Amino acid sequence: MGGLDVVTGAFGFTGRYITARLLRLGRRVRTLTGHPDRPNPFGAAVEVAPLNFADQAGLVKSLSGAETLYNTYWVRFPYRGVTFNDAVANSRRLFAAARAAGVRRVVHISIVNPSPDSPLPYFRGKALVEEALITSGLAYAIVRPTVIFGPEDIFFNNIAWMLRRFPVFGIPGDGNYCLQPVFVDDVARLAVELGRREDDLIVEAAGPEVYTFKGLVRLIAEKVGGRARLVHVPPGVALLAAGLIGRLVGDVVLTRDELSGLMANLLVASGPATGEVTFSRWLGENAHRVGLAYASEVRRHYA
């Protein structure tokens, strides 16, 4: 059996694919999770420890013996008293514990186009976490995904869900802003490859296709047989509609930061594509199941 790696959130979306790749390589895996009582999809192959940021000694103990920490921890929006500032502080505690535990390297999953000067708290917080890792004294690799798709994703699934069920789908503004979807296992492959390296580096994770938002919605509607009429609406109206749907499903469908980042073309990489799987092909092969049920962020992370 190989050495030990730790993955935060191995039962989540990206963390699950990273974990699966590590196990196939013969690595031992331990996960730090805020939901240690949930079913373990990997069974006895993955050890489980709590991700408790208030227990620094416990974090150090859970990280002891690990060669690499693959960190997927973040919050998509403030909820139950946990803000973006709290998530930044929690990340600093995690990196400090990794250094104290003697972890060799941290591979951190960030986001494309973070900036400490961003007016958007989500992107600013991501930049502050990157800065905390870079100055931590740990060897690091930072992976910056654009927007991730795959069987368990929320963003694309819920667009398909709305296109399947509602008579109208509102496209904020002109819809000509762009995004560059990347497959979840391509992100995992890149993360694991970087975990084996020694140098400090930052790499974008981006798929081979770039879409306008309106083009992407039309493609999804065509593939899943959605009959919703596509209409252009002001961004404020789109947020209002998302809020109403959120009340219906008990979730946060879309945040102001997410919409602003999308419309500012922040979900497109500045460099060449590093992903291999195209969204169009994947969607064509999986259209029969995409959007059949609503995927709830709140239920997934807080239930």
Side-chain angles (χ1 to χ4, degrees):
M1 189 64 118
L4 173 67
D5 295 322
V6 170
V7 180
T8 59
F11 305 158
F13 184 29
T14 310
R16 182 179 301 216
Y17 284 80
I18 292 172
T19 299
R21 281 188 168 268
L22 291 171
L23 291 174
R24 288 199 297 270
L25 290 173
R27 305 290 295 175
R28 293 171 50 218
V29 178
R30 177 183 301 145
T31 186
L32 304 186
T33 173
H35 308 285
D37 297 328
R38 284 189 178 175
N40 182 346
F42 299 103
V46 172
E47 304 171 28
V48 180
L51 183 60
N52 183 356
F53 296 107
D55 181 8
Q56 195 71 5
L59 284 176
V60 173
K61 180 179 179 181
S62 295
L63 289 163
S64 294
E67 296 180 13
T68 305
L69 166 63
Y70 293 87
N71 181 44
T72 70
Y73 168 74
W74 186 242
V75 294
R76 196 184 126 203
F77 44 76
Y79 192 74
R80 291 187 179 175
V82 179
T83 66
F84 289 128
N85 288 337
D86 293 325
V88 173
N90 289 340
S91 299
R92 291 193 178 111
R93 294 186 186 102
L94 180 65
F95 298 151
R99 184 173 183 182
V103 172
R104 178 188 68 87
R105 183 171 180 79
V106 175
V107 178
H108 172 64
I109 307 300
S110 184
I111 194 171
V112 74
N113 296 312
S115 170
D117 302 317
S118 175
L120 306 176
Y122 185 99
F123 288 85
R124 184 169 65 251
K126 284 285 195 176
L128 293 176
V129 173
E130 287 189 6
E131 180 182 314
L133 177 56
I134 290 169
T135 59
S136 67
L138 291 158
Y140 66 86
I142 295 171
V143 181
R144 291 177 170 176
T146 47
V147 56
I148 303 174
F149 70 89
E152 303 89 357
D153 95 73
I154 285 178
F155 180 73
F156 298 101
N157 179 84
N158 289 348
I159 289 175
W161 179 80
M162 287 183 275
L163 289 167
R164 286 179 182 271
R165 281 161 178 76
F166 296 133
V168 175
F169 184 96
I171 296 176
D174 62 15
N176 287 324
Y177 38 88
C178 295
L179 65 168
Q180 188 174 0
V182 60
F183 186 51
V184 60
D185 196 46
D186 279 334
V187 178
R189 171 182 52 78
L190 184 60
V192 172
E193 288 173 357
L194 296 177
R196 308 275 71 82
R197 292 177 57 160
E198 301 292 335
D199 49 333
D200 297 335
L201 72 167
I202 298 173
V203 178
E204 292 179 329
E209 296 176 327
V210 177
Y211 294 91
T212 64
F213 183 70
K214 65 182 181 183
L216 180 105
V217 172
R218 287 172 182 159
L219 175 66
I220 296 174
E222 174 190 343
K223 295 297 184 182
V224 305
R227 298 181 179 180
R229 179 187 174 198
L230 306 185
V231 297
H232 293 269
V233 299
V237 172
L239 285 171
L240 177 61
L244 293 174
I245 296 171
R247 291 183 183 181
L248 175 68
V249 297
D251 192 26
V252 178
V253 175
L254 179 70
T255 71
R256 188 174 299 275
D257 272 20
E258 288 169 340
L259 180 57
S260 297
L262 172 62
M263 295 186 71
N265 288 301
L266 295 182
L267 300 183
V268 177
S270 59
T274 50
E276 299 171 354
V277 177
T278 63
F279 179 75
S280 58
R281 178 178 175 180
W282 178 86
L283 180 63
E285 294 171 348
N286 294 274
H288 61 285
R289 60 176 175 170
V290 176
L292 291 181
Y294 181 82
S296 171
E297 182 83 18
V298 168
R299 194 176 305 118
R300 180 176 295 184
H301 293 287
Y302 299 101

